[in-house]
Amino acid sequence: MDPPGVHRTGGRPSGDVREALASVLDALRCAAYVTDEQGCIVGANVRAQQLLARPAAQLLGRDAHDLLHRGRHGERMPRTQCSMREAIHAGRTAQKAEEWFERGDGSLLRVAWTVAPCDLGDRFASLVLLHSDGAAERPERPGARLSELERLALLAETTSRLTSTLDVEEALRRLVRLVAPRLADWVVIDLITEHDEVRRVTVAHMDDGALTYREDLQGPMPPVPEESPMPLSRALRGVASALAGPETYHGPPDSGIAVEQRRLFEETGMHSAAIAPIRGLREVLGALTLGRSAQPEPFTAADITLLEDITRRAGLALDNARLYQRQRTVAETMQRHLLPQLPHGLGLEMTARYLPAPDASDVGGDWYDAFTLTDGAMALAIGDVVGHDLDAASGMAQLRNMLRAYAWSQQRPPSEIVQQLDQASVRIAEVSMATLVFARATVTDDGRCELSWTNAGHPPPLLITHDGVARYLTEGHGLLLGVVPDQARADATTVLPPGSTLLLYTDGLIESPGKSIDDGLRRLNRHAASLAHRPLESFTDQLLARARPPDNDDDVALLAVRIPPAASLADAKLLRPYGAR
């Protein structure tokens, strides 16, 4: 929104406006320039040109932030962190006591600034006033001159940033951002895989203030030689840290790794590097190489001490992340293998989906099941074991197998089967609490599909007719498993119309942080109704894409059942499995 009384027209100021602007700027007793609504400089007085060591030709039309604003060490300041740019775009007054601008000769100038909106007559603009003692200095190269306090702050930040994620790739990205450009222009990370192979996973470079990755220098590496005295080989064996330069690899290479290192120095232009092992609790995980090409100061022995402190913290974080991801992979693999192949029975069309939690979130105990019973009925189940770990996935497997055994061996109502399962889960299974919907679908003598079910604390099934009328089956609701195992449970029964779709799902499809369950249920109902006419596979995929909350951090299991036409149900009733009565 424009400030009151200001009208934006775009374009450059008119001649009369430019003359008036120049007159006002020259009358000021401090360095000043004016920017348009996009932050581009449209006028600068002589004092500003002298202070910034930039003639008007280098200032006019340029984005002031990109041209001038820098960090303490000369690095480019991200636009999102620029309070001046924010004030210019918002059309408000702001000021700051200490920031750094880059002069035309490359030196840094410490300035205090004030920005205020102004009216050029036909457009919105901002006036920037600069105050400085005029003392400029070359950008301070951070690695060689970190004070003891700065080193401690860096190590503390390394610990907090790396230990706050259990994702290996995210931990590596954070490690790179911690040391570049504060310590180095180049960051190279080599990791040893579980098969004792070396892979160069990161070659990152600070290029004009932006972090870029050289994928052409990344990839598999040759084996680590056992006796090589070269710095990277020794680091990958966990022997020692070392300094290196291009001259280190000028001689005949003693291994394939030495060849790759020579290529690395040639391609990057590094004149100095420091290399240290990344150690976990039980083994060497890899090596971290910091390199300098633009920064003129070479690494020294004092830098090795700091680098080893960083790699020690990185090793512990990576070790934890690897162990976590290994457990997560085992749990997710076990969970997927335990989820069943869907049967064919009663002419019902069925499809299911299981989506693990995104990113590095915990694996859960979500599951679904469908199987034909001895009397020809179709058993349907959806459940969620409380917890997010390997125990939850293991508990899911126990519940599923016990439910199958009870339902197959006893032709009893769903409520009685689940009550028996509840008692067993408390007494003989390693499950604390779980939610569950268990149902039986049968075909009646008059050719209708009938569903009877009981609900143990689970989100209610959703029934959607072919015409797009959706309703939740809220009857038959009771406490979740593991609370009062001896309490009797209720059954509910309804007819499933031909062409309708029955949806069983877990709470990951409807829960969203900061929003109520009712919001999620309404969203699911609305999307399911709009997709009622779709084929079942398309219905399921589109429903997941539309209804699943974007900030979902939980697993999702979903079982969708499409009821066939009445004639197909009647035919299916004649096809009873062996043993059916």
Side-chain angles (χ1 to χ4, degrees):
M1 180 185 301
D2 295 338
V6 174
H7 176 63
R8 302 189 188 194
T9 62
R12 299 179 62 87
S14 65
D16 292 342
V17 172
R18 284 199 301 271
E19 292 177 5
L21 177 61
S23 176
V24 170
L25 288 174
D26 288 339
L28 295 174
R29 296 180 177 271
C30 64
Y33 62 82
V34 173
T35 71
D36 63 14
E37 65 272 22
Q38 300 301 322
C40 294
I41 300 174
V42 296
N45 65 11
V46 174
R47 289 183 176 84
Q49 297 173 41
Q50 294 172 342
L51 184 66
L52 298 173
R54 296 179 185 271
Q58 292 184 12
L59 294 172
L60 298 183
R62 300 288 300 275
D63 185 292
H65 172 82
D66 294 344
L67 179 67
L68 303 173
H69 206 170
R70 298 293 181 266
R72 174 65 183 86
H73 306 299
E75 71 275 15
R76 289 185 178 274
M77 178 70 66
R79 291 187 172 193
T80 55
Q81 299 179 14
C82 181
S83 54
M84 177 190 290
R85 184 180 180 84
E86 179 182 346
I88 289 174
H89 280 276
R92 58 180 175 81
T93 301
Q95 60 183 9
K96 201 159 187 179
E98 181 177 289
E99 296 235 277
W100 297 89
F101 276 16
E102 183 179 286
R103 304 176 79 234
D105 59 5
S107 63
L108 289 181
L109 183 71
R110 180 161 46 196
V111 300
W113 55 260
T114 300
V115 60
C118 63
D119 189 352
L120 294 184
D122 63 346
R123 65 187 305 185
F124 165 60
S126 291
L127 173 66
V128 179
L129 305 178
L130 300 178
H131 304 276
S132 175
D133 57 11
E137 57 185 76
R138 304 305 299 179
E140 181 179 317
R141 300 304 178 184
R145 290 189 294 211
L146 285 182
S147 68
E148 186 61 27
L149 183 59
E150 289 173 321
R151 287 172 179 254
L152 291 175
L154 174 59
L155 294 177
E157 186 180 1
T158 301
T159 300
S160 62
R161 294 287 304 280
L162 297 187
T163 57
S164 61
T165 180
L166 289 173
D167 181 270
V168 172
E169 293 185 359
E170 176 60 23
L172 295 178
R173 286 192 291 268
R174 293 183 183 186
L175 176 59
V176 170
R177 291 193 292 268
L178 281 165
V179 296
R182 200 179 310 189
L183 299 179
D185 304 311
W186 290 89
V187 183
V188 182
I189 302 175
D190 298 290
L191 292 185
I192 301 174
T193 70
E194 295 181 352
H195 303 290
D196 289 329
E197 298 172 347
V198 179
R199 186 171 188 84
R200 181 153 282 173
V201 297
T202 300
V203 179
H205 173 45
M206 290 303 300
D207 184 13
D208 197 20
L211 192 64
T212 60
Y213 287 83
R214 287 286 302 271
E215 295 184 1
D216 59 310
L217 299 177
Q218 299 172 182
M221 295 280 283
V224 181
E226 295 183 1
E227 302 297 333
S228 172
M230 304 304 282
L232 180 59
S233 298
R234 286 168 58 84
L236 289 171
R237 297 199 308 268
V239 176
S241 307
L243 301 175
E247 67 281 356
T248 308
Y249 295 95
H250 277 171
D254 67 348
S255 64
I257 282 186
V259 174
E260 287 297 323
Q261 284 296 88
R262 176 189 293 176
R263 175 173 170 246
L264 177 69
F265 277 93
E266 290 174 350
E267 291 286 339
T268 63
M270 292 189 302
H271 63 80
S272 179
I275 307 171
I278 301 175
R279 294 185 177 91
L281 293 175
R282 292 164 295 277
E283 58 189 353
V284 178
L285 303 180
L288 173 64
T289 300
L290 301 184
R292 289 176 180 166
S293 55
Q295 298 184 27
E297 296 85 356
F299 284 103
T300 66
D303 296 311
I304 289 291
T305 302
L306 176 61
L307 179 59
E308 288 179 339
D309 282 337
I310 292 172
T311 56
R312 188 178 303 113
R313 288 160 171 78
L316 292 175
L318 290 176
D319 212 8
N320 286 337
R322 277 186 168 184
L323 288 172
Y324 171 80
Q325 290 193 341
R326 190 176 297 125
Q327 174 176 310
R328 173 182 167 82
T329 300
V330 169
E332 187 177 312
T333 301
M334 182 181 75
Q335 193 170 27
R336 286 188 181 277
H337 281 298
L338 289 172
L339 294 173
Q341 295 294 321
L342 297 178
H344 300 283
L346 300 183
L348 300 175
E349 182 185 358
M350 286 187 282
T351 190
R353 300 289 186 272
Y354 168 71
L355 298 180
D359 302 323
S361 301
D362 297 326
V363 71
D366 295 30
W367 59 284
Y368 61 85
D369 203 359
F371 51 97
T372 304
L373 298 172
T374 55
D375 61 353
M378 181 65 67
L380 305 171
I382 192 84
D384 187 1
V385 175
V386 174
H388 292 85
D389 50 25
L390 192 57
D391 290 338
S394 175
M396 173 270 292
Q398 295 181 61
L399 274 186
R400 171 180 172 268
N401 291 335
M402 286 194 299
L403 178 62
R404 280 193 162 209
Y406 290 145
W408 174 263
S409 62
Q410 305 173 34
Q411 294 180 21
R412 298 161 61 186
S415 60
E416 297 181 18
I417 298 295
V418 172
Q419 184 179 0
Q420 191 172 8
L421 176 68
D422 195 2
Q423 294 169 347
S425 68
V426 171
R427 293 175 173 84
I428 65 175
E430 299 173 2
V431 177
S432 57
M433 288 186 292
T435 65
L436 170 70
V437 171
F438 178 60
R440 284 170 50 96
T442 58
V443 178
T444 63
D445 293 335
D446 57 359
R448 297 184 302 168
C449 186
E450 189 174 86
L451 184 78
S452 59
W453 76 93
T454 190
N455 189 329
H458 199 81
L462 181 61
L463 180 63
I464 311 103
T465 70
H466 182 70
D467 297 326
V469 178
R471 69 180 180 92
Y472 286 103
L473 306 182
T474 57
E475 302 85 358
H477 204 85
L479 295 174
L480 69 168
L481 302 181
V483 178
V484 187
D486 296 322
Q487 186 179 70
R489 294 184 175 275
D491 287 296
T493 303
T494 192
V495 173
L496 305 178
S500 64
T501 303
L502 177 68
L503 187 68
L504 306 176
Y505 56 93
T506 56
D507 56 7
L509 189 60
I510 56 174
E511 285 190 344
S512 180
K515 297 182 180 178
S516 70
I517 290 291
D518 290 339
D519 290 336
L521 290 171
R522 283 191 291 269
R523 182 178 63 250
L524 178 61
N525 184 302
R526 184 172 61 254
H527 287 300
S530 71
L531 296 167
H533 64 288
R534 294 283 189 101
L536 190 60
E537 295 291 336
S538 174
F539 169 89
T540 306
D541 290 335
Q542 289 296 317
L543 187 63
L544 278 173
R546 298 181 188 184
R548 190 186 191 193
D551 52 356
N552 166 277
D553 59 356
D554 200 359
D555 295 15
V556 175
L558 184 152
L559 176 63
V561 182
R562 178 68 52 83
I563 313 304
S568 300
L569 285 171
D571 293 341
K573 183 174 175 61
L574 301 176
L575 302 176
R576 295 282 187 151
Y578 178 77
R581 292 178 293 179

